[in-house]
Amino acid sequence: MNKSKRPFTKSKRSFRRRLPPIQSGDRIDYRNMSLISRFISEQGEILSRRVNRVTLKQQRLITIAIKQARILSLLPFLNNQKQFER
């Protein structure tokens, strides 16, 4: 019996699974600037967990690492370089 002759089966949609932003080998640390900078918006805000698609534990570690990097002046607290147009 061919699949095409089954009228009531759901078609299986193929979807691309999104890769996790943090790999298992990545260390979440204030010195790992290439990793930390992915979780900061253009204005310098820490992005939310929903946007980042990370676990709660990873989000906590990211937040702590970003705050440590800010205190050590590796990251700016604010990024207010807005162009004023008149």
Side-chain angles (χ1 to χ4, degrees):
M1 191 176 201
N2 285 342
K3 286 184 181 180
S4 61
K5 293 184 179 179
R6 294 181 188 170
F8 298 111
T9 58
K10 270 188 177 178
S11 65
K12 292 185 180 180
R13 277 190 275 162
S14 64
F15 62 94
R16 202 181 107 212
R17 189 169 188 146
R18 201 164 195 179
L19 293 172
I22 298 175
Q23 307 302 327
S24 60
D26 287 341
R27 292 214 10 101
I28 302 172
D29 199 6
Y30 68 92
R31 290 171 285 181
N32 194 350
M33 296 304 295
S34 60
L35 179 71
I36 287 177
S37 59
R38 284 190 253 161
F39 303 107
I40 297 176
S41 69
E42 291 281 325
Q43 290 79 30
E45 299 170 337
I46 300 173
L47 295 174
S48 70
R49 195 176 143 227
R50 275 185 309 149
V51 176
N52 289 340
R53 293 191 177 247
V54 294
T55 63
L56 182 61
K57 191 173 182 180
Q58 288 173 335
Q59 181 69 21
R60 282 196 204 113
L61 290 171
I62 289 166
T63 303
I64 291 168
I66 289 171
K67 289 178 181 180
Q68 285 176 338
R70 283 176 176 169
I71 289 168
L72 294 170
S73 69
L74 299 173
L75 285 175
F77 280 91
L78 293 173
N79 192 6
N80 287 344
Q81 296 178 351
K82 296 177 184 173
Q83 271 74 28
F84 294 104
E85 298 170 7
R86 290 189 181 217

